[in-house]
Amino acid sequence: MLGRVGSVFVREARRQLASRHGIERAYHVSSSTLAPMFFVRPTVMEMPTRSMQHLVSWSRPVHSDLPRAYSPFAHHMSTAAAEPAEEEDATPAKDRKLATVKSGSEEKFVKATDISSYWGVVPKVQHKEDGTPWKWTCFTPHETYYPDVTIDLEKTHARKTYTDSIAYWLVKSLRVPSDMFFKKRYDVRAMMLETVAAVPGMVGGMLLHCKSLRKFQNSGGWIKALLEEAENERMHLMTFMEVAQPKWWERALVFAVQGVFFNAYFLLYLVSPKIAHRITGYLEEEAVYSYTQFLKMIDEGHFQNGPAPSIAIDYWRLPKDATIRDVVMVVRADEAHHRDVNHFAADILDRGKELRESPAPVGYH
């Protein structure tokens, strides 16, 4: 019995060494050199099937390139076992796929992991139009655009129905605590505002997505339009994170406000999508007003008009010498476009139609 186990042991050891160090080196190891190294002991384990298995283990006093512990039956039990740590060094350098990522003045080389290589998912190196490497992972070059800052900023929705009045005064009531909390700190106000402003588009797009699946209907492009809005608002937040760093209690406030607002808006959209979109439209009107006040603070010298964050320059395709004022202007234009989209959606629903009956303004920036 011990002889059979020993022969199996030698074959398995050769196979492991061959996979690590090459066939030639593995077969220089003979049974005579391996035999004194192993101490074979039968071990009884209680398995789910109540079967008895013999496990073989050994200690390694001599060869430093052999593993500490080894079971010759492991490869029969699982094909998802972890790869040996030495395999990374054994991989030829010419076979390693590298993706270059630039972050500021640092250059990082990201090697495709064994997992990505196995599944065929290899990070793609993006480039700008001028051929320079793309350094952002939160958005791609094809998602950038030139904002339309000529949009009418004074446009507002005139209240016609009682639901419009409910939505209008609800939004106005929310502005009171916001003014008391942030006062003249419009940079922090903008950052905190975007943590909430990105919720309606995500909730609306998610619920329309589920509705489309339930009813086997297309959405007329409204799922994509609303998710684009949510993504655009999130990019506003990523930008203002570079301008104003939130304090710990402001981060805690985000947790509380976002948790309440998400659930409240979710329930409201289930009950009345029309009121939900109308509220969002009025929220965007307030956002336009807030960014207008922010611009006045910059023009009056109460806020330093420093250079624009690099993420904003790439996302909105701004000039390299763009400033914070330029960023606020394009963000305000985005909010005005979101205002139009949500009031448009509310008008469609107010006429008793479904959103899918009117093509969505996809890509409306």
Side-chain angles (χ1 to χ4, degrees), residues 77 104 106 159 185 210 254 273 327 351 358:
M77 292 186 288
E106 298 181 358
R159 302 187 301 277
R185 297 184 303 156
C210 294
V254 169
V327 174
R351 295 176 183 177
S358 297

Side-chain angles (χ1 to χ4, degrees), residues 133-319:
W134 185 258
K135 62 182 179 180
W136 307 108
T137 56
C138 54
F139 65 103
T140 56
H142 77 272
E143 295 176 294
T144 64
Y145 62 96
Y146 294 101
D148 177 19
V149 295
T150 62
I151 188 172
D152 186 2
L153 301 173
E154 302 297 329
K155 189 186 299 183
T156 184
H157 178 265
R159 302 187 301 277
K160 300 177 182 178
T161 64
Y162 75 94
T163 56
D164 291 347
S165 298
I166 292 174
Y168 177 82
W169 289 111
L170 178 61
V171 172
K172 285 296 184 182
S173 66
L174 293 175
R175 186 172 183 87
V176 175
S178 178
D179 290 340
M180 294 176 59
F181 187 82
F182 297 109
K183 297 181 180 180
K184 299 294 183 179
R185 297 184 303 156
Y186 283 99
D187 55 335
V188 180
R189 178 198 289 261
M191 179 188 62
M192 301 294 285
L193 175 67
E194 299 301 343
T195 63
V196 175
V199 171
M202 179 60 65
V203 171
M206 177 183 65
L207 291 178
L208 287 179
H209 175 76
C210 294
K211 181 179 179 180
S212 176
L213 297 178
R214 288 195 310 270
K215 294 191 173 183
F216 303 94
Q217 297 173 342
N218 65 69
S219 67
W222 279 97
I223 297 175
K224 185 174 183 178
L226 294 178
L227 293 181
E228 277 185 351
E229 176 186 320
E231 174 65 11
N232 184 250
E233 297 283 9
R234 190 185 66 85
M235 290 305 301
H236 293 175
L237 175 62
M238 296 297 102
T239 298
F240 283 110
M241 283 288 293
E242 302 292 330
V243 178
Q245 295 295 328
K247 300 179 176 60
W248 69 266
W249 47 271
E250 291 170 338
R251 291 178 180 269
L253 180 65
V254 169
F255 272 88
V257 173
Q258 190 182 81
V260 173
F261 184 75
F262 180 92
N263 289 283
Y265 193 86
F266 179 85
L267 295 175
L268 177 62
Y269 204 98
L270 288 175
V271 175
S272 176
K274 178 183 68 175
I275 298 180
H277 280 291
R278 190 68 75 194
I279 288 176
T280 306
Y282 284 130
L283 282 174
E284 300 296 354
E285 289 184 15
E286 293 298 325
V288 171
Y289 174 79
S290 296
Y291 283 116
T292 300
Q293 297 301 311
F294 194 179
L295 287 173
K296 289 182 179 180
M297 295 285 291
I298 295 175
D299 294 339
E300 294 172 0
H302 299 297
F303 189 87
Q304 184 179 1
N305 187 24
S310 57
I311 189 173
I313 293 176
D314 287 341
Y315 184 68
W316 285 287
R317 301 185 183 183
L318 298 175

